[in-house]
Amino acid sequence: MEIVWQTPANPPEPQDYIFRNGRRLVRPYYFEFISHVKNRWAGKTVVDFFAHEFKGRPYDYYVSAVNCGRIRVDGEMVPVSYILKPSQKISHFLHRHEPPVLAFDVSVILQEPDVVTVCKPPTVPVHPCGQYRKSTVVGILQAEHGLAPLFPVHRLDRLVSGLLILARTSSKAEIFRQQIEGGMVKKQYIAKVIGIFPENEVVINVNIDYNAREGRSTAEEGNPCSDSPSKGKPASTKFTRIGTNGRHSLVLCEPITGRTHQIRVHLQYVGHPIANDSLYLSEQGVNRSSGGTTADRAAANSCLNSEADLVCPREYEEECREDFSIDPMCTHCPGLAPKGYGGDEEGLWLHCVRYSGPGWVYECPYPHWAILL
């Protein structure tokens, strides 16, 4: 089988994408993953290292990958008993399957000589990260609009939608960065929350402590009587109710600081979490959300769902074979998506609508869920 390896230098192209059942998928491709041996890895065999650090594939796979040269050390084939040394380069050539995202377009709102603004769809990351490379805002804009290079001025979480500003030069991105760090940029989001939000303006000044292991933040009130220092970072958000139907409220959210999940945590803190935010909903909120749908469905939990068309069951196997070449060593083939990813993830009801700074304003239309019936 002839293999064409892809590197970051290979730009995404329109034919890389496959649309199925409301999801955007990427035609699987070959890619070289590179890491360098850390001191704590040194002294292990190359197979034991992979089996311990990357448990998503079985031990036998790593044995086969080393034997056939898909795993190499310093560019050379090595035996399975090879002992790793500090700072050595490890290459893992594999058949990459990207997780699915919702099949929304990345619509261009405004295109200027040095700035592009777009409406980012939910579930799509801003730039390459983790298992995503081509199904990103930057990748899709390059493939479908020929826009490159692009430098994201700010970030939106993968599940969040709305206004995204991208500079077309590094110098313009630096100007935006200085303005943001200097506190000269005002950000506005809207959120659909549980219950009747207070009519008067609400300002929350509560520290936020982010737990990277759990992937979530918590509100942390300071205790003046405690000698133990607060682990959280200062965070401030202003909330203004736009409207309510008695069951849900639409709220304007203006973060003054920029902490991880700040808006989501502060809304939970005031007792009005985002209505489909499973990560921060109370038990009462889960029962009142939109059918119990979840916005933060982790890959590990998604495997509890039935394997939908995304993973290419037997009746679709021939169709998948037409979409891409099946790799006999790949632990995800013949599926389009990596195993364990279900097809029911939705976006969070949190949407960026406006950024403004010295002499400039950029806006994004409201999403469909912003209507209160």
Side-chain angles (χ1 to χ4, degrees), residues 34-38 41 74 85-90:
I34 298 173
S35 58
H36 290 85
V37 179
K38 300 177 182 179
W41 299 344
D74 289 334
K85 304 176 184 65
S87 301
Q88 286 184 305
K89 172 188 170 183
I90 306 175

mmCIF file with all atom_site columns, all heavy atoms in Angstrom, residues 34-38 41 74 85-90:
data_model
loop_
_atom_site.group_PDB
_atom_site.id
_atom_site.type_symbol
_atom_site.label_atom_id
_atom_site.label_alt_id
_atom_site.label_comp_id
_atom_site.label_asym_id
_atom_site.label_entity_id
_atom_site.label_seq_id
_atom_site.pdbx_PDB_ins_code
_atom_site.Cartn_x
_atom_site.Cartn_y
_atom_site.Cartn_z
_atom_site.occupancy
_atom_site.B_iso_or_equiv
_atom_site.pdbx_formal_charge
_atom_site.auth_seq_id
_atom_site.auth_comp_id
_atom_site.auth_asym_id
_atom_site.auth_atom_id
_atom_site.pdbx_PDB_model_num
ATOM 1   N N   . ILE A 1 34 ? 5.308  13.760 16.450 1.00 0.00 ? 34 ILE A N   1
ATOM 2   C CA  . ILE A 1 34 ? 6.682  13.829 16.953 1.00 0.00 ? 34 ILE A CA  1
ATOM 3   C C   . ILE A 1 34 ? 6.684  14.205 18.428 1.00 0.00 ? 34 ILE A C   1
ATOM 4   O O   . ILE A 1 34 ? 5.953  15.108 18.853 1.00 0.00 ? 34 ILE A O   1
ATOM 5   C CB  . ILE A 1 34 ? 7.505  14.856 16.149 1.00 0.00 ? 34 ILE A CB  1
ATOM 6   C CG1 . ILE A 1 34 ? 7.599  14.431 14.675 1.00 0.00 ? 34 ILE A CG1 1
ATOM 7   C CG2 . ILE A 1 34 ? 8.900  15.022 16.738 1.00 0.00 ? 34 ILE A CG2 1
ATOM 8   C CD1 . ILE A 1 34 ? 8.256  15.466 13.789 1.00 0.00 ? 34 ILE A CD1 1
ATOM 9   N N   . SER A 1 35 ? 7.475  13.523 19.206 1.00 0.00 ? 35 SER A N   1
ATOM 10  C CA  . SER A 1 35 ? 7.717  13.900 20.603 1.00 0.00 ? 35 SER A CA  1
ATOM 11  C C   . SER A 1 35 ? 9.192  13.666 20.898 1.00 0.00 ? 35 SER A C   1
ATOM 12  O O   . SER A 1 35 ? 9.896  13.000 20.132 1.00 0.00 ? 35 SER A O   1
ATOM 13  C CB  . SER A 1 35 ? 6.842  13.095 21.564 1.00 0.00 ? 35 SER A CB  1
ATOM 14  O OG  . SER A 1 35 ? 7.083  11.713 21.402 1.00 0.00 ? 35 SER A OG  1
ATOM 15  N N   . HIS A 1 36 ? 9.646  14.228 22.001 1.00 0.00 ? 36 HIS A N   1
ATOM 16  C CA  . HIS A 1 36 ? 11.033 14.051 22.415 1.00 0.00 ? 36 HIS A CA  1
ATOM 17  C C   . HIS A 1 36 ? 11.053 13.427 23.811 1.00 0.00 ? 36 HIS A C   1
ATOM 18  O O   . HIS A 1 36 ? 10.229 13.772 24.668 1.00 0.00 ? 36 HIS A O   1
ATOM 19  C CB  . HIS A 1 36 ? 11.792 15.383 22.393 1.00 0.00 ? 36 HIS A CB  1
ATOM 20  C CG  . HIS A 1 36 ? 12.018 15.896 20.995 1.00 0.00 ? 36 HIS A CG  1
ATOM 21  N ND1 . HIS A 1 36 ? 11.073 16.639 20.315 1.00 0.00 ? 36 HIS A ND1 1
ATOM 22  C CD2 . HIS A 1 36 ? 13.072 15.758 20.148 1.00 0.00 ? 36 HIS A CD2 1
ATOM 23  C CE1 . HIS A 1 36 ? 11.539 16.945 19.121 1.00 0.00 ? 36 HIS A CE1 1
ATOM 24  N NE2 . HIS A 1 36 ? 12.751 16.424 18.992 1.00 0.00 ? 36 HIS A NE2 1
ATOM 25  N N   . VAL A 1 37 ? 11.965 12.534 24.007 1.00 0.00 ? 37 VAL A N   1
ATOM 26  C CA  . VAL A 1 37 ? 12.007 11.734 25.231 1.00 0.00 ? 37 VAL A CA  1
ATOM 27  C C   . VAL A 1 37 ? 12.287 12.629 26.440 1.00 0.00 ? 37 VAL A C   1
ATOM 28  O O   . VAL A 1 37 ? 13.320 13.300 26.506 1.00 0.00 ? 37 VAL A O   1
ATOM 29  C CB  . VAL A 1 37 ? 13.081 10.630 25.128 1.00 0.00 ? 37 VAL A CB  1
ATOM 30  C CG1 . VAL A 1 37 ? 13.130 9.822  26.426 1.00 0.00 ? 37 VAL A CG1 1
ATOM 31  C CG2 . VAL A 1 37 ? 12.788 9.714  23.937 1.00 0.00 ? 37 VAL A CG2 1
ATOM 32  N N   . LYS A 1 38 ? 11.362 12.615 27.388 1.00 0.00 ? 38 LYS A N   1
ATOM 33  C CA  . LYS A 1 38 ? 11.567 13.327 28.646 1.00 0.00 ? 38 LYS A CA  1
ATOM 34  C C   . LYS A 1 38 ? 12.373 12.443 29.588 1.00 0.00 ? 38 LYS A C   1
ATOM 35  O O   . LYS A 1 38 ? 12.460 11.222 29.402 1.00 0.00 ? 38 LYS A O   1
ATOM 36  C CB  . LYS A 1 38 ? 10.215 13.670 29.284 1.00 0.00 ? 38 LYS A CB  1
ATOM 37  C CG  . LYS A 1 38 ? 9.337  14.549 28.406 1.00 0.00 ? 38 LYS A CG  1
ATOM 38  C CD  . LYS A 1 38 ? 7.989  14.793 29.066 1.00 0.00 ? 38 LYS A CD  1
ATOM 39  C CE  . LYS A 1 38 ? 7.090  15.634 28.174 1.00 0.00 ? 38 LYS A CE  1
ATOM 40  N NZ  . LYS A 1 38 ? 5.755  15.862 28.776 1.00 0.00 ? 38 LYS A NZ  1
ATOM 41  N N   . TRP A 1 41 ? 10.785 9.372  30.890 1.00 0.00 ? 41 TRP A N   1
ATOM 42  C CA  . TRP A 1 41 ? 10.564 8.288  29.938 1.00 0.00 ? 41 TRP A CA  1
ATOM 43  C C   . TRP A 1 41 ? 11.826 7.476  29.679 1.00 0.00 ? 41 TRP A C   1
ATOM 44  O O   . TRP A 1 41 ? 11.755 6.338  29.232 1.00 0.00 ? 41 TRP A O   1
ATOM 45  C CB  . TRP A 1 41 ? 10.054 8.834  28.608 1.00 0.00 ? 41 TRP A CB  1
ATOM 46  C CG  . TRP A 1 41 ? 8.758  9.567  28.675 1.00 0.00 ? 41 TRP A CG  1
ATOM 47  C CD1 . TRP A 1 41 ? 7.842  9.545  29.692 1.00 0.00 ? 41 TRP A CD1 1
ATOM 48  C CD2 . TRP A 1 41 ? 8.221  10.455 27.679 1.00 0.00 ? 41 TRP A CD2 1
ATOM 49  N NE1 . TRP A 1 41 ? 6.770  10.351 29.404 1.00 0.00 ? 41 TRP A NE1 1
ATOM 50  C CE2 . TRP A 1 41 ? 6.967  10.930 28.172 1.00 0.00 ? 41 TRP A CE2 1
ATOM 51  C CE3 . TRP A 1 41 ? 8.662  10.891 26.444 1.00 0.00 ? 41 TRP A CE3 1
ATOM 52  C CZ2 . TRP A 1 41 ? 6.175  11.809 27.445 1.00 0.00 ? 41 TRP A CZ2 1
ATOM 53  C CZ3 . TRP A 1 41 ? 7.871  11.765 25.715 1.00 0.00 ? 41 TRP A CZ3 1
ATOM 54  C CH2 . TRP A 1 41 ? 6.640  12.224 26.209 1.00 0.00 ? 41 TRP A CH2 1
ATOM 55  N N   . ASP A 1 74 ? 14.783 8.800  16.398 1.00 0.00 ? 74 ASP A N   1
ATOM 56  C CA  . ASP A 1 74 ? 15.781 9.591  15.658 1.00 0.00 ? 74 ASP A CA  1
ATOM 57  C C   . ASP A 1 74 ? 15.779 9.235  14.178 1.00 0.00 ? 74 ASP A C   1
ATOM 58  O O   . ASP A 1 74 ? 16.825 9.174  13.512 1.00 0.00 ? 74 ASP A O   1
ATOM 59  C CB  . ASP A 1 74 ? 17.173 9.412  16.253 1.00 0.00 ? 74 ASP A CB  1
ATOM 60  C CG  . ASP A 1 74 ? 17.328 10.091 17.605 1.00 0.00 ? 74 ASP A CG  1
ATOM 61  O OD1 . ASP A 1 74 ? 16.587 11.065 17.854 1.00 0.00 ? 74 ASP A OD1 1
ATOM 62  O OD2 . ASP A 1 74 ? 18.151 9.649  18.418 1.00 0.00 ? 74 ASP A OD2 1
ATOM 63  N N   . LYS A 1 85 ? 16.546 7.061  25.341 1.00 0.00 ? 85 LYS A N   1
ATOM 64  C CA  . LYS A 1 85 ? 17.488 7.964  26.003 1.00 0.00 ? 85 LYS A CA  1
ATOM 65  C C   . LYS A 1 85 ? 16.908 9.377  25.992 1.00 0.00 ? 85 LYS A C   1
ATOM 66  O O   . LYS A 1 85 ? 16.118 9.729  25.106 1.00 0.00 ? 85 LYS A O   1
ATOM 67  C CB  . LYS A 1 85 ? 18.846 7.935  25.293 1.00 0.00 ? 85 LYS A CB  1
ATOM 68  C CG  . LYS A 1 85 ? 19.467 6.549  25.180 1.00 0.00 ? 85 LYS A CG  1
ATOM 69  C CD  . LYS A 1 85 ? 20.753 6.596  24.371 1.00 0.00 ? 85 LYS A CD  1
ATOM 70  C CE  . LYS A 1 85 ? 21.342 5.208  24.170 1.00 0.00 ? 85 LYS A CE  1
ATOM 71  N NZ  . LYS A 1 85 ? 20.457 4.340  23.356 1.00 0.00 ? 85 LYS A NZ  1
ATOM 72  N N   . PRO A 1 86 ? 17.274 10.206 26.969 1.00 0.00 ? 86 PRO A N   1
ATOM 73  C CA  . PRO A 1 86 ? 16.717 11.565 27.043 1.00 0.00 ? 86 PRO A CA  1
ATOM 74  C C   . PRO A 1 86 ? 16.920 12.350 25.757 1.00 0.00 ? 86 PRO A C   1
ATOM 75  O O   . PRO A 1 86 ? 17.964 12.222 25.099 1.00 0.00 ? 86 PRO A O   1
ATOM 76  C CB  . PRO A 1 86 ? 17.480 12.203 28.206 1.00 0.00 ? 86 PRO A CB  1
ATOM 77  C CG  . PRO A 1 86 ? 17.915 11.045 29.047 1.00 0.00 ? 86 PRO A CG  1
ATOM 78  C CD  . PRO A 1 86 ? 18.204 9.932  28.088 1.00 0.00 ? 86 PRO A CD  1
ATOM 79  N N   . SER A 1 87 ? 15.928 13.136 25.396 1.00 0.00 ? 87 SER A N   1
ATOM 80  C CA  . SER A 1 87 ? 15.945 14.088 24.278 1.00 0.00 ? 87 SER A CA  1
ATOM 81  C C   . SER A 1 87 ? 15.874 13.442 22.900 1.00 0.00 ? 87 SER A C   1
ATOM 82  O O   . SER A 1 87 ? 15.879 14.153 21.893 1.00 0.00 ? 87 SER A O   1
ATOM 83  C CB  . SER A 1 87 ? 17.179 14.997 24.350 1.00 0.00 ? 87 SER A CB  1
ATOM 84  O OG  . SER A 1 87 ? 17.191 15.717 25.566 1.00 0.00 ? 87 SER A OG  1
ATOM 85  N N   . GLN A 1 88 ? 15.805 12.120 22.812 1.00 0.00 ? 88 GLN A N   1
ATOM 86  C CA  . GLN A 1 88 ? 15.685 11.501 21.501 1.00 0.00 ? 88 GLN A CA  1
ATOM 87  C C   . GLN A 1 88 ? 14.335 11.842 20.869 1.00 0.00 ? 88 GLN A C   1
ATOM 88  O O   . GLN A 1 88 ? 13.328 12.031 21.558 1.00 0.00 ? 88 GLN A O   1
ATOM 89  C CB  . GLN A 1 88 ? 15.821 9.978  21.601 1.00 0.00 ? 88 GLN A CB  1
ATOM 90  C CG  . GLN A 1 88 ? 17.249 9.493  21.846 1.00 0.00 ? 88 GLN A CG  1
ATOM 91  C CD  . GLN A 1 88 ? 17.345 7.978  21.839 1.00 0.00 ? 88 GLN A CD  1
ATOM 92  O OE1 . GLN A 1 88 ? 16.642 7.303  22.588 1.00 0.00 ? 88 GLN A OE1 1
ATOM 93  N NE2 . GLN A 1 88 ? 18.209 7.444  20.993 1.00 0.00 ? 88 GLN A NE2 1
ATOM 94  N N   . LYS A 1 89 ? 14.341 11.921 19.545 1.00 0.00 ? 89 LYS A N   1
ATOM 95  C CA  . LYS A 1 89 ? 13.122 12.218 18.793 1.00 0.00 ? 89 LYS A CA  1
ATOM 96  C C   . LYS A 1 89 ? 12.384 10.915 18.491 1.00 0.00 ? 89 LYS A C   1
ATOM 97  O O   . LYS A 1 89 ? 12.957 9.981  17.941 1.00 0.00 ? 89 LYS A O   1
ATOM 98  C CB  . LYS A 1 89 ? 13.463 12.941 17.495 1.00 0.00 ? 89 LYS A CB  1
ATOM 99  C CG  . LYS A 1 89 ? 12.286 13.135 16.546 1.00 0.00 ? 89 LYS A CG  1
ATOM 100 C CD  . LYS A 1 89 ? 12.765 13.673 15.203 1.00 0.00 ? 89 LYS A CD  1
ATOM 101 C CE  . LYS A 1 89 ? 11.659 13.640 14.160 1.00 0.00 ? 89 LYS A CE  1
ATOM 102 N NZ  . LYS A 1 89 ? 12.129 14.100 12.838 1.00 0.00 ? 89 LYS A NZ  1
ATOM 103 N N   . ILE A 1 90 ? 11.106 10.867 18.865 1.00 0.00 ? 90 ILE A N   1
ATOM 104 C CA  . ILE A 1 90 ? 10.276 9.698  18.581 1.00 0.00 ? 90 ILE A CA  1
ATOM 105 C C   . ILE A 1 90 ? 9.226  10.108 17.547 1.00 0.00 ? 90 ILE A C   1
ATOM 106 O O   . ILE A 1 90 ? 8.511  11.090 17.739 1.00 0.00 ? 90 ILE A O   1
ATOM 107 C CB  . ILE A 1 90 ? 9.559  9.171  19.836 1.00 0.00 ? 90 ILE A CB  1
ATOM 108 C CG1 . ILE A 1 90 ? 10.558 8.897  20.960 1.00 0.00 ? 90 ILE A CG1 1
ATOM 109 C CG2 . ILE A 1 90 ? 8.775  7.911  19.520 1.00 0.00 ? 90 ILE A CG2 1
ATOM 110 C CD1 . ILE A 1 90 ? 9.891  8.488  22.249 1.00 0.00 ? 90 ILE A CD1 1
#
